[in-house]
Amino acid sequence: MSDTILEAPATGDQPVVFDNPVDEVTAALKERFTEFVADDTRPGYGGLVVSADKIVEVAEALRDDLGFNYLSSVTGVDLIEEDKMEVVYHAYSIDKGGDAMVLKVQVDRDNPVVPSLTPTYPGADFQEREAWDLLGIRFEGHPDLRRILTWDGFHGHPLRKDWKEPFFEEEAKPFGSRWPAGEVFRAEEKNVYGKNVQYPEGWAPSGAEYEAETDSYAGITYSRESTPGLKTEKVTVNMGPQHPSTHGVFRMALTLDGETIVGLKPVMGYLHRNHEKIGERNTFIQNIPYTDRLDYISSMSNNLGYVLGVEKLMEAEVPERAEWIRILMAELTRISNHLWALGFLLNDMGALQTPMIYYYIERELILDLFEATAGSRMMCNYMRFGGVAYDLPDQVRDQPVMDFLHDLVYDRLPRVLHQGDELVTGNEIVRARGIGYGYLSAEDAIAFSAAGPLLRASGVPYDVRRANPYSYYEHLDFDVAVRYNGDIYDRYLIRIDEMQQSLRILEQVLPHLKATEGASIIGSKPQYALRMPNAGEAYGRVENPKGELGYYMTAKRRSANPERYHVRAPSFINLTALEKMCMGHKVADVVAILGSIDIVLGEVDR
């Protein structure tokens, strides 16, 4: 990227040269909003701290004047020791690429009110609701601020540092009860049956009446107005939760005019287990197997995003062989995910199990490699800070591992993609049900913070591997797959394109694996009792099969556990655009539109 020259502030005489667009934007914001923005001066932290009453104005300038038009992540943080709540925003430039422009707002913990950025960046919608639900940060001006991951009658905000659940033991692991010194017990033994629930203060369970479903429909307009010329009336119905059509325990509250959708509100949280609260109590290394269970189809990639974030905090180096193995596993995961996604999408279109079985055969070969390498097919727990847990095995399916990989990359996977293309791509039913349905424009995809195939099928060639490279991706030759019609059919095609590009990457990786056989796979002695050498924050992000997966973490010096651990989950954020994609379509189209997004509820709900 060429250097950018920005006019010097009034205090200097020479122009400032910037190597990074973030430096340019930071200087511009500090000059324009001198009294309202300031550097985050905490050791190990970065970005700009913005006055709450100016955050909307700063965000609009960032988007409209400075080109940072993609708000990727919104994170709430409980700064209990400072008696404050913080909201951290990560914004990117689709055109320029590069690092995030990080903005932060800090408000009083007792009355945490922050203006909503949803009118500026619609993709903030669900993320602000999540911060309200789990941390109690109220976003003034949000169009539909209500709980999203816990149920409507939930008491308290569980990610607050002073919130305790019924079986609470200690703030951080390892718990004292787990030490093998004769003191081991089950936490439930300390709780008398019937005392393992919490009620709001003053709430009596006997005789209480609570309409738990009321808030689920709060954002939907009820009407009995009929369409002129037709004997119909608008009605609100539930669709889901039922598997496999809603891809798990996911519900949509639909407002219909006849069979036409005029309103849709996703209802989620049935699978929520407060992954982030667990993550803040776990030690750093204990979190790796928990990341497996987010997008449980993409375990290897989940691991990678997390360890990249921790490695930034540690300033760890990774050996060359480990980097090539990481890319091997990540790209095989992408292919595995997309094969599964296409099988389910065709199932959602009415093709039942046949296409899924065709795609499933080669996916099984990929899982065979994962099992032989990591010991597990889906919950791999494989990446480690500074490398990977194990080297590649000697053999897979009674073949030398390199022979197995060569056969997989050059023969088996290309063959199934060609076969699927011949059988499905030109199918008249797939085309009839896919072309023109679930349309999402490029402008809306960016505005709604869509990521991955959903974003690129709308004509936006943005891929974290290219825009902000990690590992060795900058040394690899591949194209960012992009389609331009933004409908179900293009979201089918984009996944085929991406698998072809993954094969292209793997063809370049195999020679490096051969050349580095026997080399180190971890940068230092495994650190199972890891303590952070310095305080600070880090954001690790990867281009996961479903889009940008990001982990925002903070840590205190010498801490063994994250102070804040937040997951930017693509399945969750991609659902923000679902209503827009479904408006005007029929009930029969909803399942196919949802399937074209490709969600996993373990990642949606966390």
Side-chain angles (χ1 to χ4, degrees), residues 78 81 87 170 237 251 255 261 278 284 308 359 380 387 421 443 454 480 520 531:
D78 185 359
E81 294 176 357
V87 183
E170 300 177 41
V237 300
R251 173 160 66 106
T255 299
I261 296 164
I278 296 169
F284 285 99
L308 285 176
Y359 286 128
C380 297
D421 188 43
E443 294 76 19
L454 182 61
V480 175
S520 173
R531 291 188 180 274

Side-chain angles (χ1 to χ4, degrees), residues 95-379:
D95 297 328
K96 298 176 184 177
D99 294 332
M101 181 66 231
V102 182
L103 302 179
K104 300 171 182 177
V105 173
Q106 296 180 355
V107 291
D108 290 338
R109 193 170 184 273
D110 292 338
N111 184 31
V113 180
V114 178
S116 173
L117 289 192
T118 301
T120 307
Y121 292 107
D125 183 353
F126 287 6
Q127 300 186 71
E128 289 183 349
R129 284 179 60 189
E130 179 186 1
W132 156 248
D133 187 0
L134 303 185
L135 285 156
I137 302 171
R138 185 156 53 88
F139 292 89
E140 205 165 44
H142 190 286
D144 188 21
L145 191 63
R146 54 195 171 90
R147 292 189 183 272
I148 190 167
L149 294 179
T150 62
W151 57 96
D152 300 323
F154 192 91
H155 179 50
H157 304 282
L159 271 183
R160 286 195 167 213
K161 292 295 185 183
D162 52 1
W163 186 90
K164 304 291 189 296
E165 71 277 16
F167 291 136
F168 174 78
E169 285 192 67
E170 300 177 41
E171 290 290 350
K173 297 179 183 177
F175 294 156
S177 65
R178 303 303 191 262
W179 292 107
E183 300 295 328
V184 177
F185 63 89
R186 294 176 68 247
E188 292 83 349
E189 294 172 8
K190 303 292 184 180
N191 289 269
V192 179
Y193 178 74
K195 302 294 184 182
N196 60 339
V197 291
Q198 293 173 338
Y199 301 111
E201 186 176 348
W203 188 83
S206 58
E209 293 185 5
Y210 177 69
E211 196 63 45
E213 289 299 308
T214 302
D215 287 350
S216 296
Y217 308 103
I220 294 176
T221 301
Y222 293 88
S223 172
R224 292 295 182 186
E225 298 175 3
S226 61
T227 302
L230 294 175
K231 293 183 178 180
T232 63
E233 58 183 29
K234 292 178 183 175
V235 62
T236 299
V237 300
N238 278 309
M239 195 165 184
Q242 59 212 43
H243 194 59
S245 62
T246 58
H247 291 242
V249 279
F250 177 71
R251 173 160 66 106
M252 292 165 281
L254 307 177
T255 299
L256 305 175
D257 184 355
E259 284 251 348
T260 302
I261 296 164
V262 295
L264 183 153
K265 294 294 177 184
V267 183
M268 58 196 78
Y270 296 96
L271 200 60
H272 177 62
R273 64 269 189 206
N274 221 340
H275 173 95
E276 294 176 15
K277 188 80 167 182
I278 296 169
E280 290 171 11
R281 290 182 180 164
N282 281 342
T283 63
F284 285 99
I285 200 163
Q286 283 175 330
N287 271 338
I288 296 175
Y290 281 82
T291 68
D292 291 337
R293 290 151 174 83
L294 292 168
D295 175 3
Y296 37 76
I297 308 297
S298 304
S299 161
M300 289 284 193
S301 299
N302 298 346
N303 287 180
L304 180 56
Y306 174 68
V307 299
L308 285 176
V310 176
E311 285 166 358
K312 288 183 179 179
L313 285 173
M314 296 171 57
E315 298 181 353
E317 294 185 2
V318 181
E320 179 185 355
R321 180 166 178 80
E323 292 283 24
W324 293 123
I325 292 175
R326 286 179 173 188
I327 294 175
L328 169 76
M329 297 305 184
E331 295 309 316
L332 286 174
T333 296
R334 194 176 319 279
I335 295 171
S336 170
N337 178 93
H338 286 352
L339 289 173
W340 202 225
L342 293 185
F344 269 117
L345 175 59
L346 294 166
N347 184 66
D348 293 337
M349 287 184 169
L352 299 180
Q353 299 292 321
T354 304
M356 187 180 297
I357 292 171
Y358 272 91
Y359 286 128
Y360 200 93
I361 297 170
E362 267 61 31
R363 179 178 178 269
E364 283 292 292
L365 296 177
I366 295 174
L367 299 191
D368 285 342
L369 173 70
F370 290 171
E371 183 178 26
T373 305
S376 178
R377 301 178 74 77
M378 292 180 66
M379 309 300 169

